[in-house]
Amino acid sequence: MNLYELLKKHFGFHSFRKGQEEVIRSILSGQHTISVLPTGTGKSLCYQLPGYILNGTVIIVSPLLSLMQDQVEHLKINGEKRVVALNSFLNVNERKKIFRSLSEYRFIYISPEMLTNQLLLQSLKKLKVSLFVVDEAHCISQWGHDFRPDYLRLKEIRTVLGNPVTLALTATATEDVRNDIIQYLNLKNVTQLINSVDRPNISLVIEELSNKMNKINKLLELVKQLKKPGIIYFSSKRTSEEMAILLRKKGIANAAAYHGGMDQEQRILIQQQFLNNQLQVICATSAFGMGINKENIRFVIHFHMPYQIESYLQEIGRAGRDGNKSIAILLYTPGDEFIPLHMFEKELPSDNQIEKYYSLNIKGHHTADLMLSDVQSRFLSYYKGISENNNELILKVKSIRDIRIRYKQEKLKEMLHWIKEHRCRRLGILEYFNEVQSIPLMRCCDICGLNMNDFLSNDREWIENEKMNWQSMLSNLLLRGD
Ligand code: ADP
Ligand code: MG
């Protein structure tokens, strides 16, 4: 059966999207492949389709639990039974059972924290792995915005699995990040298939407001008027909650907050309600949205600026997956950059924490008194092994910390520069990724000129929606029969 027949048979699609076929052919020819494809183009298909051709198991390392569940559900809906997700949702018995029968599955999704599970490693060893996939691979890179030390074990896993053909997928990766991916996965002879990061159907707008009050008013006005659904990004959990409350007070009833401080079940519930159109507006921190498969998101607003252009692109990329016109609006108030600048300094361990952590650790004491955050303890624990000599270790780790802080500051400065530069927004982003702009667009950005009316919801549509809600409520009532 050829690729097109398989595409039709297993996924019901008639053609590949730009970039997909190239990636699939590269994997099938046995090449390690790094693929940069913009959000929403269908990266999952790039390993799911080969799963029906290759002889063996496809292992997918995926950074987010909710994301993983979503992918598994999708495959199941498409008729695939031989798919499983290994993550902390499984209880010990379920886990044991699945570990024993791993070879029965065609697709095995694994969360990064499971990669340290020795029992799993033993079971994986016995498998014939035809393809090893790292989704959202920018998370591997120490220069990526989602740096996660758990990921750095991938090299070991690949060795244990006998160096299988590997596919790293991401929507945004500069050359630095790609080099890190290659290094941390220990890949030799890699094919890099890089597509434009541009999403022409998303118009880019930056609006400067003179103070916070004006910014809040602007936000309310936009959320009331814009076509929904939409996501608003905030840099703090507290603001995301406060704004969700404010929006509801101001009549936008179907708005809710989502952030990493909420418990897992609550987060999944909110995400699910958003996917099912029960919620129209999410006030989120950057914890929301990676891999979210919702086609019709019409706007992404940044109430606070992201800390680097890569994050901005990932976040706005959640809009307009259906290809219809969508808008990304960044609201900037002078001085917004001071919060992150200050945060970068506090996020990683202080001199004192570094000194005490390694001295205490050597004597085998608890580190609880150091009041370390998750990030700080992961950072300290990850670098523990880089030197035998304690003094040298402390010096080295301080210097790594300083380099990371400086790097983040530089990234933020680039973001700020882009915000303040008074020229085509898209061009600025494309240049950042060493791309040149192709054809001029109708609704490019606020500098090139666009008509905001294109993005506003009209009353008709609103009435239609209301009618729909009534109809669905009625049919629900009738179905329930009470
Ligand atoms: P990404 O990981 O690149 O952000 P996904 O893999 O989540 O994107 O896919 C986004 C959506 O595109 C999914 O709903 C998927 O079913 C759809 N899709 C993927 N490939 C195709 C195709 N060739 N034709 C039509 N739709 C596709
Ligand atoms: Mg994806």
Side-chain angles (χ1 to χ4, degrees):
M1 211 183 265
N2 71 27
L3 286 187
Y4 294 94
E5 283 166 354
L6 285 169
L7 180 69
K8 179 86 187 39
K9 180 177 169 210
H10 292 287
F11 304 93
F13 301 140
H14 296 277
S15 58
F16 286 107
R17 290 212 179 125
K18 195 172 165 280
Q20 284 179 326
E21 188 173 353
E22 235 183 330
V23 177
I24 293 171
R25 293 211 183 270
S26 168
I27 300 165
L28 291 178
S29 72
Q31 283 288 311
H32 298 314
T33 307
I34 294 184
S35 160
V36 181
L37 272 170
T39 344
T41 33
K43 286 188 283 298
S44 323
L45 190 101
C46 298
Y47 59 80
Q48 289 172 350
L49 183 76
Y52 291 101
I53 300 174
L54 297 166
N55 196 0
T57 314
V58 178
I59 291 187
I60 307 106
V61 181
S62 175
L64 270 187
L65 294 183
S66 53
L67 174 59
M68 200 182 280
Q69 295 301 119
D70 191 49
Q71 299 277 351
V72 170
E73 295 306 317
H74 247 83
L75 278 169
K76 285 189 174 160
I77 290 169
N78 278 341
E80 179 55 66
K81 292 197 183 68
R82 294 165 57 193
V83 51
V84 70
L86 302 179
N87 54 40
S88 46
F89 281 163
L90 299 173
N91 65 36
V92 181
N93 285 334
E94 287 170 326
R95 221 185 258 190
K96 273 192 191 149
K97 200 169 144 228
I98 294 174
F99 283 6
R100 274 199 301 269
S101 57
L102 279 184
S103 61
E104 287 172 20
Y105 297 99
R106 192 193 296 272
F107 299 105
I108 303 178
Y109 283 83
I110 304 181
S111 66
E113 77 274 6
M114 289 291 287
L115 295 173
T116 50
N117 186 310
Q118 285 307 316
L119 215 61
L120 175 64
L121 279 191
Q122 292 308 320
S123 315
L124 286 177
K125 260 189 203 166
K126 297 181 203 135
L127 285 184
K128 180 172 181 306
V129 175
S130 57
L131 181 62
F132 185 76
V133 184
V134 183
D135 201 5
E136 310 285 354
H138 57 269
C139 296
I140 299 178
S141 166
Q142 58 175 321
W143 309 129
H145 44 98
D146 288 306
F147 178 54
R148 305 195 191 171
D150 271 345
Y151 258 81
L152 302 175
R153 299 190 196 276
L154 289 170
K155 197 190 277 195
E156 279 167 54
I157 309 275
R158 285 196 64 256
T159 314
V160 168
L161 296 177
N163 191 20
V165 176
T166 298
L167 169 66
L169 294 166
T170 174
T172 47
T174 53
E175 202 177 335
D176 283 344
V177 172
R178 277 182 269 137
N179 287 336
D180 258 15
I181 294 175
I182 294 173
Q183 192 201 329
Y184 286 123
L185 288 174
N186 196 16
L187 300 176
K188 306 275 176 325
N189 301 323
V190 188
T191 302
Q192 298 203 29
L193 299 171
I194 317 295
N195 290 273
S196 171
V197 295
D198 192 21
R199 295 281 307 280
N201 65 319
I202 305 176
S203 306
L204 310 175
V205 173
I206 298 177
E207 186 158 344
E208 186 165 326
L209 288 315
S210 56
N211 60 48
K212 192 173 169 190
M213 209 50 234
N214 291 349
K215 201 192 215 180
I216 294 175
N217 286 331
K218 184 75 207 177
L219 180 73
L220 288 172
E221 179 193 319
L222 285 170
V223 177
K224 271 192 186 154
Q225 294 180 349
L226 286 171
K227 275 192 193 130
K228 295 174 200 46
I231 308 175
I232 312 163
Y233 280 107
F234 300 88
S235 62
S236 90
K237 298 171 190 168
R238 210 183 68 201
T239 325
S240 73
E241 279 184 3
E242 286 169 357
M243 287 298 166
I245 294 171
L246 185 67
L247 286 175
R248 287 200 294 267
K249 265 196 197 147
K250 297 284 177 184
I252 295 147
N254 39 21
Y258 180 110
H259 57 70
M262 290 158 50
D263 61 43
Q264 186 81 254
E265 273 109 71
Q266 214 179 349
R267 273 187 282 163
I268 290 182
L269 179 72
I270 300 282
Q271 179 171 316
Q272 224 42 49
Q273 288 180 327
F274 185 59
L275 291 176
N276 298 337
N277 298 316
Q278 291 153 312
L279 286 170
Q280 292 275 289
V281 179
I282 299 288
C283 297
T285 60
S286 58
F288 182 75
M290 198 197 272
I292 268 215
N293 194 5
K294 185 170 171 63
E295 302 237 298
N296 62 341
I297 297 175
R298 295 277 71 89
F299 71 78
V300 171
I301 297 177
H302 281 94
F303 188 82
H304 295 122
M305 64 199 255
Y307 305 156
Q308 46 178 288
I309 291 177
E310 283 94 328
S311 314
Y312 173 78
L313 259 188
Q314 289 264 356
E315 288 166 6
I316 67 161
R318 283 146 203 168
R321 282 174 165 231
D322 53 11
N324 294 335
K325 59 178 186 290
S326 312
I327 190 162
I329 304 174
L330 189 150
L331 303 177
Y332 173 75
T333 303
D336 278 354
E337 59 276 21
F338 294 127
I339 313 168
L341 278 175
H342 183 63
M343 199 198 70
F344 296 157
E345 304 259 346
K346 287 178 64 175
E347 185 182 43
L348 292 173
S350 64
D351 278 358
N352 182 42
Q353 282 170 322
I354 294 178
E355 287 156 19
K356 292 228 169 89
Y357 180 89
Y358 293 122
S359 323
L360 287 174
N361 237 9
I362 278 189
K363 291 176 204 133
H365 287 161
H366 287 299
T367 51
D369 299 347
L370 297 180
M371 312 273 283
L372 297 171
S373 69
D374 277 358
V375 176
Q376 288 168 339
S377 54
R378 259 187 285 150
F379 181 88
L380 288 166
S381 134
Y382 178 68
Y383 288 108
K384 205 161 24 186
I386 61 167
S387 172
E388 300 269 297
N389 175 308
N390 209 30
N391 287 336
E392 194 182 88
L393 176 65
I394 289 170
L395 280 178
K396 272 192 176 167
V397 172
K398 281 182 186 170
S399 133
I400 293 173
R401 175 203 58 192
D402 293 342
I403 292 171
R404 278 193 65 75
I405 294 176
R406 242 176 287 134
Y407 182 80
K408 288 192 164 189
Q409 289 167 341
E410 284 306 311
K411 287 290 202 187
L412 186 77
K413 277 190 199 142
E414 282 168 336
M415 178 83 206
L416 201 58
H417 179 76
W418 172 74
I419 290 174
K420 293 189 168 173
E421 206 179 26
H422 202 74
R423 64 174 194 140
C424 173
R425 312 292 187 195
R426 201 170 299 269
L427 199 60
I429 289 185
L430 294 181
E431 277 179 10
Y432 178 82
F433 285 96
N434 293 324
E435 288 186 38
V436 279
Q437 195 174 27
S438 44
I439 8 157
L441 298 171
M442 276 267 290
R443 303 180 194 88
C444 178
C445 65
D446 56 310
I447 304 284
C448 297
L450 47 79
N451 184 353
M452 276 306 278
N453 286 332
D454 286 345
F455 304 96
L456 305 184
S457 81
N458 54 42
D459 288 334
R460 235 208 110 60
E461 219 168 314
W462 178 242
I463 294 164
E464 289 296 315
N465 274 339
E466 286 291 282
K467 241 182 13 209
M468 283 273 293
N469 284 345
W470 262 111
Q471 275 163 353
S472 58
M473 264 169 75
L474 256 176
S475 56
N476 273 346
L477 281 173
L478 292 173
L479 275 177
R480 278 209 328 249
D482 53 12

